[in-house]
Structure formats: structure tokens, C-alpha cells
Amino acid sequence: YKGKTKEEGTLYDELSQDLLKRGIQTSEAVMIGDKLWTDITPAKQRGFKTVQYIGYINYGSSPDADFVISNVRE
């Protein structure tokens, strides 16, 4: 994924294409992250399920997150 970024969403575009080649729909994949602007929003815009992790640094809640967890065991 050289040259692709989470901020621009190009990494998620590439990941989505790779998943589709393997018969996996983007909506079947989950992106877990703490940063709304790089992990949650761009992934959600491309059809990924999203889990916001707030157990280390809480950047505030995101309406884009499907789930919010504060412990990785969740």
C-alpha cells in the first residue's frame, strides 16, 4: 500500500479492492482505531464497519463509529 494514506482514504480504497478480490465484501470487514479523522470516518465512508477504541486516548465520540469500546476485550 505504498503511497496510500488513511487521511486521504486511499489506503481504505486499496484494502477494499483487495478484499473484493478475495470474495469479501467491504461491509463484512471491520476497521478498529482511535483517531476519528484517519481510522473511523474514512473507513466508514467506504463501507467498512467501524469500532472506535477509546481506552488509551479518547478523541471524543464519532457518529460514524458502529461501536465504541474502551477495553480491547470488548
Side-chain angles (χ1 to χ4, degrees):
Y1 299 150
K2 187 174 182 177
K4 310 296 182 189
T5 68
K6 291 194 300 184
E7 292 85 356
E8 294 175 4
T10 53
L11 181 131
Y12 300 111
D13 293 333
E14 191 75 20
L15 180 57
S16 180
Q17 290 176 14
D18 284 350
L19 290 170
L20 289 172
K21 288 177 189 175
R22 292 171 170 79
I24 302 168
Q25 297 297 312
T26 305
S27 60
E28 297 175 289
V30 177
M31 189 58 57
I32 302 171
D34 59 351
K35 295 180 184 77
L36 308 176
W37 58 95
T38 61
D39 303 327
I40 305 301
T41 301
K44 186 66 175 184
Q45 290 172 340
R46 285 154 177 85
F48 288 88
K49 298 284 186 213
T50 56
V51 176
Q52 181 184 5
Y53 174 67
I54 60 169
Y56 182 66
I57 297 176
N58 186 346
Y59 291 104
S61 62
S62 169
D64 293 327
D66 293 301
F67 302 98
V68 177
I69 61 172
S70 59
N71 186 309
V72 294
R73 293 181 191 169
E74 295 177 70

